[in-house]
Amino acid sequence: MDGFDEKLERLRRILEGKETYGPENLSRGDQARIFQLTEMFDEIVKRARQNSADALPKKPVDLLVSLSGFSPITTILTFKLLRPRRLLVISSEASRNSIDVIADELIGKDGLRHSDFMHESVMPTDPRSIYRVVKEKLGGSAAGRATPNAVIDITGGRKVMSATAALAAWQLNLRLCYLEGDYSPELKQNLPGKDRLMLLDNPEALFGDQAMVRTNVMFDSGAFDGAATQYDQLAQSVPDPQRARFMLALSRLYGAWCDLNLAELPKLAEAVRTTMKGVDTDLSVTERRKLDAQLDFVGRLPGGASPAELVLCFYLLGQHYDDMGRRDFAALLFYRTIEGALSQRLETAVPGFDCSAPDYARFPRGADFVLDGYRRTQREAGIPESASLPHAVGSFAAALLLAVLDDPMMGPAKLRSPKQLGELRNVSVIRNRSVLAHGSTSITKADTARLRHMARTVLGAFWEQNGTGVGIAVRQKELIFIKAPF
């Protein structure tokens, strides 16, 4: 029997009343506690440190919050294992005597300053009490650190206190620890020397459910860049990261789509396809169909292979920004929809015509006929006549030229009559007033509504002539960003 085993035997005899240690007027439990702290504790700490080698944190602990019950030993042992800069002991009124023992053992001789030792008494049945105390102490745990590295020790204290402390850790994003051991029926306590420190991440970091819900709200609001950052963190911390990885890929895709970062879309779409395999059973049939349609759609946008779909893309993004309340962005995209539809239709109606470098000789019956018709349309719309045809064709000029051609798109687009052409000119003025265009004023809700209505009408007429075969209403519905499916 080695020296430590002999001390264990003495401890058993003291607890059984067969041997005394210290003042005889003390209870058996107090005598056993004093014996452990005086005769055994250095070896207890050494063995606990060896048993806990894999669990001890690599970063210094700023604050240890320890629940104290009738035995102060668990708090003292946890302190010696974690070596925190500050210690907060939380107890109930019934166990306040343990505070003095903890202070005597740790302050001064163990490197803890009086100013870094705190203790608070709480009502064990009040679930808010521990939360309030810990939250208050966290504010000054470590000067200059935005998030103190704090740990809550739930080994001691009553069960209801441990449960409440775990809830507080969840809310405050703190780690939990407790001392695991081998219970000895003879000693009616954990066997000294067998203690192991168990360090747990905050439940939210372990399982991620609440963080996932909050990040989904961010995603659904259209804050795709911020959501991607949060999903990335979840993908690295939760035990089942497949949903977080899929949502990370989808956030990055939607973010690039909103930014019209066309070159990146195929690569990001492929990342969504890859991660979607891990959540396939979690997606509804409707969600899967919409995602398949969206991935195919964004894959065709780079390179200009489908100019009609790019015009549709402008409108979809205008809707997205309008629904987010970002009206200036929405107004520009709605105007870009109108401009794109008219210019694309004109270039289709006149083969070889380029709105950026127009050659009017390509029109049927030649440039002179076009100029006469162009000026006549201007007169009918109450617009001063031009001396010549435009050197670059914008949205309004494209509408006038399509009117000269009596293009079948103009009726459904509601741009045939002089009044309708005047409305096109008016929405052009609205766009030009925007601080994101040539003006210095913000777009109003009513202005955005006018642009949205005209963009929807012109896009519908354009799609009838130049679309990809699927009805515009169906196409729009399947291409609207999905909400977080989990």
Side-chain angles (χ1 to χ4, degrees):
M1 182 180 292
D2 64 21
F4 191 75
D5 289 338
E6 290 177 354
K7 291 176 181 178
L8 280 176
E9 176 60 22
R10 285 189 65 190
L11 178 64
R12 183 185 64 77
R13 292 175 60 81
I14 292 169
L15 286 168
E16 292 176 349
K18 297 177 180 178
E19 183 177 333
T20 60
Y21 188 87
E24 294 185 2
N25 62 331
L26 294 179
S27 68
R28 296 177 188 177
D30 285 342
Q31 290 184 44
R33 170 180 52 77
I34 294 172
F35 178 76
Q36 287 185 74
L37 291 173
T38 305
E39 304 288 343
M40 304 177 66
F41 215 66
D42 287 346
E43 184 64 21
I44 289 173
V45 173
K46 177 181 176 182
R47 295 188 179 200
R49 186 169 286 115
Q50 292 172 344
N51 298 337
S52 312
D54 294 338
L56 296 178
K58 296 178 175 59
K59 293 172 58 178
V61 175
D62 298 314
L63 174 67
L64 171 63
V65 180
S66 183
L67 307 184
S68 176
F70 291 105
S71 174
I73 286 181
T74 57
T75 295
I76 297 169
L77 179 54
T78 302
F79 179 91
K80 288 178 177 286
L81 293 175
L82 292 181
R83 308 297 303 180
R85 294 187 175 99
R86 307 176 82 206
L87 173 64
L88 168 62
V89 179
I90 296 178
S91 64
S92 64
E93 286 292 339
S95 59
R96 287 183 63 83
N97 291 338
S98 296
I99 301 296
D100 292 334
V101 177
I102 295 169
D104 289 341
E105 287 296 321
L106 298 180
I107 293 177
K109 62 183 180 182
D110 208 60
L112 184 67
R113 301 180 302 177
H114 283 275
S115 59
D116 291 331
F117 176 70
M118 302 164 285
H119 59 88
E120 295 283 348
S121 177
V122 300
M123 180 67 69
T125 57
D126 182 1
R128 296 164 297 182
S129 57
I130 293 178
Y131 172 81
R132 285 195 296 262
V133 169
V134 176
K135 185 176 182 181
E136 177 188 346
K137 301 304 180 184
L138 277 174
S141 294
R145 292 176 64 97
T147 305
N149 183 21
V151 177
I152 297 184
D153 172 23
I154 60 173
T155 311
R158 296 169 58 179
K159 291 181 179 180
V160 67
M161 289 177 64
S162 296
T164 302
L167 290 173
W170 192 321
Q171 289 296 318
L172 297 169
N173 195 26
L174 304 180
R175 303 183 78 181
L176 294 169
C177 76
Y178 68 94
L179 288 171
E180 176 72 358
D182 297 341
Y183 185 75
S184 169
E186 281 188 307
L187 300 180
K188 296 181 179 179
Q189 67 173 61
N190 285 342
L191 193 64
K194 298 292 186 179
D195 303 281
R196 301 180 298 277
L197 184 72
M198 309 297 290
L199 193 61
L200 304 177
D201 281 326
N202 173 272
E204 183 170 328
L206 281 173
F207 307 113
D209 292 346
Q210 295 298 318
M212 192 76 171
V213 170
R214 289 197 298 269
T215 309
N216 287 346
V217 172
M218 188 183 300
F219 175 89
D220 289 346
S221 71
F224 299 123
D225 289 343
T229 299
Q230 297 301 315
Y231 286 131
D232 193 14
Q233 294 176 2
L234 283 167
Q236 298 176 49
S237 63
V238 297
D240 184 5
Q242 290 181 328
R243 290 182 175 185
R245 287 173 181 165
F246 167 72
M247 292 305 298
L248 168 62
L250 189 59
S251 297
R252 286 174 172 167
L253 175 67
Y254 281 0
W257 192 347
C258 286
D259 292 340
L260 287 169
N261 189 354
L262 303 185
E264 292 293 312
L265 291 180
K267 178 181 68 176
L268 296 173
E270 187 57 35
V272 173
R273 284 193 180 93
T274 300
T275 56
M276 190 160 54
K277 296 174 183 177
V279 297
D280 190 56
T281 57
D282 296 326
L283 297 172
S284 69
V285 173
T286 300
E287 288 165 342
R288 182 60 189 259
R289 286 175 178 169
K290 290 186 71 172
L291 286 168
D292 286 340
Q294 290 174 11
L295 297 178
D296 290 341
F297 178 78
V298 298
R300 291 193 296 272
L301 291 179
S306 180
E309 290 190 323
L310 183 59
V311 174
L312 173 57
C313 177
F314 294 145
Y315 181 76
L316 293 170
L317 294 181
Q319 277 187 312
H320 171 71
Y321 282 114
D322 193 17
D323 294 342
M324 289 176 63
R326 303 182 68 178
R327 290 191 289 270
D328 283 277
F329 283 95
L332 292 184
L333 286 160
F334 289 142
Y335 185 79
R336 189 71 182 88
T337 302
I338 298 166
E339 183 179 54
L342 293 172
S343 61
Q344 289 293 336
R345 179 58 191 168
L346 181 60
E347 291 179 352
T348 302
V350 183
F353 187 78
D354 183 351
C355 288
S356 62
D359 179 4
Y360 296 101
R362 292 183 175 274
F363 274 69
R365 303 175 65 179
D368 290 339
F369 172 80
V370 176
L371 178 58
D372 289 342
Y374 189 82
R375 297 176 68 180
R376 182 179 66 255
T377 306
Q378 286 180 317
R379 286 196 305 272
E380 292 171 354
I383 300 167
E385 296 179 30
S386 302
S388 60
L389 291 167
H391 299 294
V393 178
S395 60
F396 190 68
L400 294 178
L401 291 168
L402 286 167
V404 170
L405 292 172
D406 196 23
D407 190 86
M409 170 182 158
M410 299 306 281
K414 297 184 179 179
L415 292 175
R416 188 181 295 278
S417 72
K419 182 178 180 181
Q420 292 169 340
L421 289 171
E423 176 62 7
L424 174 60
R425 196 174 192 193
N426 291 338
V427 296
S428 300
V429 172
I430 292 173
R431 174 259 187 186
N432 291 335
R433 288 203 312 261
S434 168
V435 293
L436 296 181
H438 310 298
S440 58
T441 59
S442 296
I443 300 292
T444 67
K445 186 175 182 179
D447 289 339
T448 311
R450 288 175 69 184
L451 277 159
R452 182 169 182 164
H453 175 74
M454 177 169 283
R456 181 170 60 245
T457 303
V458 173
L459 173 63
F462 171 67
W463 197 261
E464 286 182 13
Q465 302 296 324
N466 291 73
T468 56
V470 180
I472 187 63
V474 174
R475 203 74 176 111
Q476 285 180 244
K477 187 175 181 180
E478 65 186 6
L479 294 177
I480 293 173
F481 295 148
I482 70 167
K483 299 297 184 182
F486 312 121

